[in-house]
Amino acid sequence: MSNMSEKDMSEKDVNPFDLPPSPSKEMPNMSPEKLLKKLAFKNIEMVPEKERPQKILKAMEAVLKERRSVATYLDTCTKCGACAERCHFYIGTEDPYNMPAHRVDLFRKVYKKHFTIGGKLLGSFIGAEEMTNEVLEEWRKYFYSCTECRRCSIFCPFGIDTAEITMAAREVMLRVGLGMNYVNKIIANLYGAGNNMGMQELAFWNSVQFCAEEIKDEMGIEVEFPGVKENPEDKMAKPKVGAEILYVPPSADLFVNVDTQIGAMLVFHAAGADYTMSHSASEAADFGIFQDYVDLKEINKRVVDEANRLGVKKVIYGECGHGWRAAKNIIEAWNGPLNFKVEHILEYTERLIREGKIKLDKSRVKEVVTLHDPCNLARGAKLLEPQRYILRHAATNFKEVAPEKSREYTFCCGGGGGLLTEELMDLRMKGGKPAAEAIRDVGAKILAVPCAICKAQFHVLMPYYNLDIEVGGVLDIVGKSIVIEGAKVPEEVEEAMAGKSKCSLCDAEFSSMDKCCEHAEKEHKISKDQCNMACESM
Amino acid sequence: MSVIVTFVGIILPYITIVAFFGGFIYRIKGWLSIPVPMPISVTYPQSRGEQVKNIASAILIFPDLFRKDRNLWFGAWPFHVVLAIIIIGHWRLFMDIPDRILMAIGYTTQGIEHLSSVFGTTVGIIFFIAVLYLLVRRITQVTLRNMSNPADYFVLLWLLGIAATGLTMRFVGLPYTNIATMQNYFWGIFTLHPIAPPTDPIFLTHYLLAQLLLISLPFSKLIHPIGIFFTQGIKHSLVVQKQVR
């Protein structure tokens, strides 16, 4: 975690939720060299500018030899243009290089020049170009403005996946030290603290405890703590060895999207599941997929190792988009054979509803609810039906986004692919426009998104396009409508908002939530859309 | 025989055969030698019958493209269909199997000639128009123009050239459209006893352009009909069709 929170914690044992969010701002400012050293691929170095083109070609050769997708995609594209107006970044920026085939062409021209017979013979006539530092600059700009969402691949008559080329190009650039600062920081966080948010073990268990207490306050029931404490008063806990299920949430659920974590805990409670959580597997996300296969495998392996150590029969992944895509596609092939089953929390919840093991009262959620299909669930892992089944049972008024913009045709939120950083805010907002418009057209009050990155992006995107839509996970809504014996029905959100509130950072009291938010913005620099992190209703 | 005729008619055909078949084997072997570390598994479970049906329809009518980019489909689908018909039509120049099949179902020699001239010419014109459509599309659409390099236009112009020379022969009705002459010539090539080809300049141009196209085919983007089996194109057709139903 950041310096600030570590200091605070040692001084007066502060709950991590009381601290302002926006982890990207809090991350320690390391030099790029130092960051690179922290990645799994330890032999990355900052190559001096003069040697870069040469080194890039070597790295390209390696990538071309190790992944069939790269060469076949580069060779097969006829540049027919079917992908042109399908990319959210092209729609949003109208920069010709943001057209998928054109973006790939930046990579292809170098490939042609140095690795194909045609390019060597005919050169620029067939669009081949020498690798230079200028070309590298273009690569940096445009391969870091692709969210690897694969929408273009759905429209491509050949099924060519630009995301694969983006991954390859980023890995090649990383080999000369031109990785992405934000992604490197997150991966360094993961190897250091165990999760993307950089939460240390104590903070992790504190967060879980916080969620359990929230449930107790709101619903008046005691849910089972997914860990073992030597002493009930202890802050620190240990994962339960021999539990049946290991739940792996994206760490953002323990930090920002607490309602999703609460929803998951309620589902496990209602189903009477024997489950545990662990700090060593506190991250479902896998930022390795955004730039490097080595990290991808290494990060995924942590979950497998922890599941083996605990001897669980099943690993359930939380609401994370790319994490599930990574897990589904590689866990068995790269880190198998597995001694346990792997399931997504949405599949798990759907099954429980079908089997009648949990009951939902949809009359509790009356607002119009809509669903955004995260690209990695929809196109990367074909997880489409469970969330719809759940929402039909959890909300009275569930409306879908237009068919040409949902399911596998869904628009990316604009923040995936490792672009979820403040530096790229302008690009993110432009890229998120098609998705925001699609959701606006539904006229919903609540947006359910089963992906931590999408949630973070929509929290900024919705206010940016003046949309008054509440953003949360699918499990948030399950948490509202779930029927548990002896539990109080959670109060209406509006009622809670109308009452008195308190700023948890300085204990000041206010007559309304709005006033508290104003105060939080002024005093603690917390933007209004995130003020619920500081302000609590009393 | 002049040098040009000897080159185009006797030397180049052997280069073409080697480059075309050798090129394809070289490319496919090259692709197959690369491992697939992260296969993206997105297909639905389907019966073998459904799979065969979906793959066949994906190859024959491009339903995926029809749903997603109709403007392109109206150029691409007719183009590929008439291209297939033209290839079958040219088969008559190498062997008499097509003629025999047609005779078996009741065609007379005259009937076949009539079919060839009417149907073949129509198909040739459709081909020419389809390529022209694709070319105009590439020039007029800003998105496409931005990313096209000279070769992308050149391939289309090349196809236009082949179609134009082929159609000219149709209209002018040159004597060597006599099937027997051509079959003799190609038989000579295949049995390594080449005889002199017809020497008409239009024919030689047509023949030269076609051979150069075949040579470049495995090494250019024209390899896409093979590439589609290595990308996710076929897989997509399985997934999406299932979904629509």
Side-chain angles (χ1 to χ4, degrees), chain B residues 4-17 90 93-94 158 161-167 169 176 181-190 194-215:
Chain B
I4 294 172
V5 177
T6 316
F7 177 71
V8 175
I10 293 170
I11 300 169
L12 194 59
Y14 291 107
I15 299 175
T16 306
I17 291 169
H90 279 68
L93 303 178
F94 305 113
W158 200 334
I162 295 175
T165 46
L167 282 171
M169 283 188 278
Y176 45 74
T181 326
M182 292 311 294
Q183 279 180 0
N184 278 339
Y185 164 71
F186 280 117
W187 190 245
I189 295 282
F190 295 145
I195 57 168
T199 53
D200 181 87
I202 297 174
F203 166 75
L204 283 179
T205 316
H206 181 75
Y207 192 33
L208 175 69
L209 287 176
Q211 289 191 74
L212 291 178
L213 186 76
L214 290 178
I215 292 172

Side-chain angles (χ1 to χ4, degrees), chain A residues 75 79-80 86 154 158, chain B residues 27 37 68 137-138 231 243:
Chain A
D75 288 332
K79 292 197 249 167
C80 67
R86 314 304 184 180
I154 293 287
F158 306 109
Chain B
R27 294 310 300 276
K68 291 160 182 173
R137 183 176 164 276
R138 193 170 281 281
T231 62
Q243 202 115 76

Side-chain angles (χ1 to χ4, degrees), chain B residues 110-129:
Chain B
Q110 265 182 332
I112 293 172
E113 281 308 316
H114 185 70
L115 182 76
S116 165
S117 67
V118 174
F119 193 56
T121 311
T122 316
V123 159
I125 292 169
I126 296 173
F127 182 84
F128 191 85
I129 294 169

Side-chain angles (χ1 to χ4, degrees), chain A residues 340-356:
Chain A
F340 49 85
K341 284 192 182 126
V342 183
E343 202 174 16
H344 195 276
I345 185 78
L346 294 174
E347 295 172 331
Y348 177 73
T349 311
E350 183 212 14
R351 215 185 54 233
L352 290 177
I353 299 171
R354 271 186 204 281
E355 290 172 0

Side-chain angles (χ1 to χ4, degrees), chain A residues 64-68 71-73 75-82 84-86 90 96 99 101-102 105 111-112 117 124-127 150 153-155 157-161 164 167 293 296 325 328-330 334 379-380 382 384 407-409, chain B residues 26-27 31-44 64-65 67-70 72 137-138 141-144 146-152 154 219-228 230-234 236 239-240 243-244:
Chain A
L64 285 165
K65 272 190 190 149
E66 105 198 353
R67 303 177 202 178
R68 189 185 293 170
T72 47
Y73 290 172
D75 288 332
T76 304
C77 177
T78 57
K79 292 197 249 167
C80 67
E85 269 132 51
R86 314 304 184 180
Y90 179 68
M99 262 178 59
H102 207 173
D105 222 35
Y111 164 75
K112 274 183 177 165
I117 298 170
S124 62
F125 179 72
I126 64 161
R150 308 181 73 239
S153 89
I154 293 287
F155 288 92
F158 306 109
I160 293 170
D161 188 354
E164 291 275 326
M167 285 180 206
Y293 273 17
L296 175 59
R325 167 181 172 188
K328 193 180 183 214
N329 290 328
I330 66 157
W334 289 13
R379 288 185 287 263
K382 281 285 154 212
L384 293 165
R407 293 182 179 264
E408 74 265 33
Y409 300 116
Chain B
Y26 168 78
R27 294 310 300 276
W31 284 342
L32 285 174
S33 70
I34 313 172
V36 185
M38 187 165 71
I40 294 183
S41 42
V42 291
T43 45
Y44 280 102
D64 216 27
L65 189 62
R67 272 195 297 274
K68 291 160 182 173
D69 192 338
R70 209 150 296 182
L72 175 56
R137 183 176 164 276
R138 193 170 281 281
Q141 272 193 20
V142 186
T143 49
L144 270 173
N146 277 332
M147 66 169 168
S148 298
N149 51 47
D152 293 326
F154 194 74
F219 304 98
S220 67
K221 68 175 187 178
L222 299 181
I223 198 166
H224 61 267
I226 307 294
I228 193 168
F230 289 82
T231 62
Q232 298 186 9
I234 296 292
H236 275 174
V239 177
V240 174
Q243 202 115 76
V244 167

Side-chain angles (χ1 to χ4, degrees), chain A residues 109-241:
Chain A
K109 62 186 183 187
V110 180
Y111 164 75
K112 274 183 177 165
K113 181 76 197 174
H114 297 277
F115 301 96
T116 67
I117 298 170
K120 279 174 188 160
L121 289 175
L122 299 168
S124 62
F125 179 72
I126 64 161
E129 203 176 312
E130 196 97 28
M131 184 74 215
T132 58
N133 276 315
E134 285 80 61
V135 174
L136 196 53
E137 271 313 303
E138 289 178 333
W139 280 24
R140 282 184 79 180
K141 180 164 180 206
Y142 291 106
F143 287 116
Y144 290 124
S145 38
C146 165
T147 48
E148 304 182 355
C149 80
R150 308 181 73 239
R151 189 168 195 265
C152 48
S153 89
I154 293 287
F155 288 92
C156 173
F158 306 109
I160 293 170
D161 188 354
T162 305
E164 291 275 326
I165 309 293
T166 300
M167 285 180 206
R170 287 187 184 181
E171 193 167 321
V172 167
M173 284 188 276
L174 187 66
R175 295 290 175 269
V176 296
L178 297 178
M180 203 186 181
N181 198 29
Y182 168 71
V183 177
N184 285 346
K185 270 181 182 169
I186 292 276
I187 295 179
N189 262 356
L190 190 123
Y191 288 130
N195 46 54
N196 290 1
M197 289 286 146
M199 243 186 269
Q200 299 291 351
E201 191 161 8
L202 180 62
F204 169 77
W205 289 115
N206 263 342
S207 302
V208 180
Q209 183 64 39
F210 172 87
C211 294
E213 277 162 18
E214 277 286 302
I215 295 172
K216 197 177 173 193
D217 290 350
E218 292 257 321
M219 306 176 73
I221 51 164
E222 197 85 50
V223 293
E224 204 195 337
F225 189 75
V228 184
K229 290 185 177 181
E230 281 176 19
N231 187 332
E233 298 303 307
D234 276 359
K235 294 265 178 205
M236 196 63 150
K238 279 197 182 99
K240 220 187 287 171
V241 179

Side-chain angles (χ1 to χ4, degrees), chain A residues 305-317:
Chain A
D305 288 348
E306 184 62 6
N308 284 336
R309 190 180 75 83
L310 298 175
V312 296
K313 292 197 185 73
K314 189 189 272 179
V315 170
I316 294 188
Y317 272 77

